[in-house]
Amino acid sequence: MPDTDTHPIVGWEKNSPVPEGHRFNRFLSVKNGRLHLDGLDLFDLFVGSAALGNGAKPLPSPLEIVYLPIIRQQITNMNNIFAEAAAELAYNGRFYYTYASKANAAEEIIRTTLGAGAHHEMSSTVDVDIAKIMIKRELLTQERLIVCNGFKGSGSHYAANILQLRQLHENIIPVIEDLGELSSLISSGYSFNVGLRMKSYGHNKTQAEMNAANSRFGMDIDDIWKAADYISAAPNLNLTLYHNMVGSQITDIDDFIDRLQPGMEVFARLRQRYPDLHIFNFGGGIPVAMTLDFDFDYKAFAVALMAALQKTCDRYSVPVPDVMGEFGRYTTSEHGAHLFKIITNKENGSKLPWYIIDGSIMSSFPDSWALSEHFIVLPLNNLDKPFQQVQLGGITCDSDDVYPPKPSHSPLYLPVDTDELYVGFFSIGAYQEMLGGVKGSKHCVLPEANEMIVDKDENGRFQYEIIQGQTEDDVLRNLGYHV
């Protein structure tokens, strides 16, 4: 058996079958030798689709699964965690759960996050167009905050679009990345609550380190104070938010708080001079389970964050702030899965046999290829049969179209019996589809897979929507071949 302390655990790591009823995590479990996603028999989708109703045809492989209930669960769970932490500490500020839309901007995702009560964060001009659509649908209501991150220099399309959005929605908070971004807001004639982003990304444990950081995001401490003064002098601007993003997928709570501490000091000093400043936005960084060995105490983090804010603000004799987090990967990672059929088992004289899927790993999950990121991989059927260690390959003619990623020490075990075997990649719902491109041309001109959106009605019954993928003709037209 491999040493589980030295590698991410991406699946079953034994030659023996998976026991009946085994739970891999809170939503993936085994029943009758098949993998179930929150009660949904995934293999059944390919062999008869009984779950879809009598007479439904089997679905083609590959198939993307978008499971919306998990998104609601994530938002509800985090709101409850921060409420419990605030009650435990008698913390007087409120909590703003904000969805970072860059993780996945698909309509069904934005619709679901807003329906679950999340505030909205954006970073580009097209994001503004999405917000306008959601406002017209009465999903992005006036009490929701819209946080505008990203570069929005005077004269840019993004800056102009934010001003148009302000005509439709009052609770917009442009977050200033550079002093030059203020001019279009000041001259707009609209009143704006404004945020300031500190140059804080990375392992910066002091304000001096933070000030010297090589980061394209945010401002140094001198420009932060200048921007705050300009905002205070402007008749239509009001400083309400301080943005302190320090990293991504940070799994050490003490390290997370240490990184945030210098920004807490800056916030408290700003709050002494600008009493309307009341939101401390720690940005992203909250980790999520992308492998089976994931362990993070969200409640302990919330308590540690609020306790540190209380202690810091007490030293500066200022009230504690409202707390905002921008949850992108945490919101969407676990809701997404991509299912494939094993089309051949190729020994080829290799130390481990090659299992080949009917799709591409590197184009479906770019982070696996580009960042050596790990995702959960499990068979959909034959879990009650013996396993063996294998190598998984995509159908493209690229040497990097493999899993586990080349630098990885994580073993991958799949059933020995590959007859009609299907496998799934899980926790791929954040960034992967956006990075790979939606309806775009993929590596080795593979068509985009069909997508199935799954939800539940008020009685807990599954509801399905099938979105057609690309045909060969779609791919040809996309590349300029008029057929």
Side-chain angles (χ1 to χ4, degrees):
M1 285 294 296
D3 182 358
T4 58
D5 292 331
T6 61
H7 64 266
I9 299 176
V10 299
W12 186 244
E13 292 193 348
K14 296 180 181 179
N15 294 111
S16 57
V18 182
E20 175 67 13
H22 178 79
R23 297 196 70 86
F24 290 101
N25 58 25
R26 72 182 190 279
F27 57 87
L28 290 171
S29 61
V30 179
K31 183 179 180 181
N32 298 325
R34 296 182 178 184
L35 189 68
H36 287 67
L37 172 65
D38 196 27
L40 175 65
D41 185 339
L42 296 174
F43 179 64
D44 187 54
L45 301 173
F46 298 108
V47 295
S49 301
L52 300 177
N54 294 330
K57 295 181 180 180
L59 296 174
S61 174
L63 178 66
E64 295 181 31
I65 301 293
V66 177
Y67 192 72
L68 299 179
I70 287 178
I71 292 176
R72 296 191 192 93
Q73 292 172 21
Q74 293 292 86
I75 295 171
T76 298
N77 290 345
M78 191 59 70
N79 277 320
N80 289 340
I81 284 167
F82 269 87
E84 292 170 5
E88 184 176 309
L89 295 170
Y91 190 89
N92 292 325
R94 64 175 295 184
F95 173 63
Y96 296 96
Y97 187 109
T98 306
Y99 173 56
S101 63
K102 62 181 177 290
N104 192 324
E107 185 275 341
E108 65 271 11
I109 307 303
I110 304 299
R111 164 172 33 102
T112 302
T113 59
L114 293 173
H119 300 276
H120 191 66
E121 183 270 348
M122 62 174 63
S123 56
S124 77
T125 188
V126 176
D127 278 326
V128 179
D129 296 330
I130 292 171
K132 291 176 182 177
I133 292 170
M134 291 300 169
I135 289 170
K136 290 180 180 178
R137 293 185 186 178
E138 298 183 345
L139 293 173
L140 185 46
T141 52
Q142 289 295 324
E143 71 272 12
R144 303 291 175 79
L145 299 178
I146 302 177
V147 179
C148 303
N149 283 314
F151 295 99
K152 60 192 78 62
S154 180
S156 68
H157 193 187
Y158 186 21
N161 219 0
I162 289 172
L163 299 185
Q164 292 180 13
L165 183 63
R166 178 60 182 79
Q167 299 176 42
L168 303 174
H169 197 89
E170 293 184 359
N171 277 328
I172 301 175
I173 305 179
V175 178
I176 303 304
E177 294 270 3
D178 182 82
L179 287 172
E181 296 179 359
L182 283 169
S183 60
S184 61
L185 299 177
I186 293 172
S187 62
S188 69
Y190 295 108
S191 60
F192 277 99
N193 289 324
V194 179
L196 296 177
R197 181 165 184 172
M198 185 78 186
K199 190 173 66 168
S200 54
Y201 198 92
H203 296 265
N204 305 303
K205 303 298 180 65
T206 67
Q207 289 184 30
E209 289 178 358
M210 194 164 59
N211 209 41
N214 180 21
S215 173
R216 73 183 190 274
F217 298 113
M219 296 177 282
D220 62 24
I221 190 66
D222 290 338
D223 281 348
I224 284 285
W225 284 106
K226 288 179 184 177
D229 286 340
Y230 292 155
I231 292 167
S232 178
N236 61 327
L237 304 185
N238 191 35
L239 178 59
T240 60
L241 180 148
Y242 176 82
H243 192 295
N244 192 40
M245 174 79 172
V246 294
S248 177
Q249 281 286 104
I250 306 172
T251 56
D252 185 306
I253 292 174
D254 291 338
D255 178 52
F256 206 151
I257 302 302
D258 284 347
R259 294 190 193 196
L260 290 170
Q261 185 61 51
M264 296 183 195
E265 305 281 340
V266 176
F267 171 88
R269 290 166 55 201
L270 285 167
R271 177 62 179 80
Q272 287 178 322
R273 187 182 298 181
Y274 306 104
D276 290 330
L277 177 63
H278 68 94
I279 300 175
F280 180 84
N281 181 356
F282 64 84
I286 289 290
V288 68
M290 297 168 65
T291 57
L292 294 175
D293 55 331
F294 176 81
D295 182 28
F296 186 81
D297 190 333
Y298 296 109
K299 172 71 175 299
F301 168 77
V303 169
L305 173 62
M306 289 181 165
L309 284 167
Q310 283 179 322
K311 185 176 180 180
T312 302
C313 290
D314 184 62
R315 283 194 286 109
Y316 286 89
S317 300
V318 297
V320 295
D322 297 334
V323 177
M324 175 181 286
E326 296 174 0
F327 301 89
R329 194 186 303 271
Y330 168 86
T331 307
T332 59
S333 180
E334 294 180 284
H335 92 282
H338 205 138
L339 314 180
F340 302 91
K341 184 178 182 180
I342 300 296
I343 58 173
T344 189
N345 173 0
K346 188 174 183 180
E347 295 291 342
N348 209 33
S350 304
K351 181 180 178 181
L352 299 173
W354 282 101
Y355 283 19
I356 309 300
I357 63 172
D358 59 349
S360 172
I361 297 165
M362 65 185 299
S363 64
S364 299
F365 323 112
D367 280 350
S368 175
W369 161 66
L371 302 176
S372 299
E373 189 66 82
H374 291 81
F375 300 100
I376 298 167
V377 179
L378 293 168
L380 308 188
N381 56 320
N382 295 348
L383 286 107
D384 53 353
K385 298 180 179 181
F387 280 61
Q388 64 178 338
Q389 188 175 350
V390 305
Q391 304 171 90
L392 201 59
I395 202 172
T396 72
C397 58
D398 197 298
S399 62
D400 289 316
D401 199 3
V402 298
Y403 193 86
K406 286 184 175 180
S408 174
H409 295 289
S410 295
L412 178 64
Y413 284 74
L414 290 174
V416 176
D417 184 356
T418 58
D419 184 37
E420 293 298 309
L421 177 64
Y422 289 80
V423 299
F425 282 74
F426 299 91
S427 288
I428 53 87
Y431 296 106
Q432 302 316 298
E433 188 174 21
M434 305 306 295
L435 291 171
V438 179
K439 303 298 182 185
S441 298
K442 305 295 192 290
H443 184 49
C444 285
V445 291
L446 295 182
E448 190 169 271
N450 287 348
E451 181 176 304
M452 186 173 76
I453 300 173
V454 185
D455 209 341
K456 286 184 176 180
D457 64 17
E458 61 275 8
N459 297 314
R461 293 187 295 257
F462 289 119
Q463 297 176 314
Y464 308 95
E465 177 186 357
I466 305 296
I467 298 177
Q468 295 299 316
Q470 291 176 316
T471 66
E472 288 85 351
D473 286 348
D474 292 333
V475 176
L476 289 169
R477 280 191 294 269
N478 194 44
L479 292 170
Y481 298 97
H482 303 289
V483 294

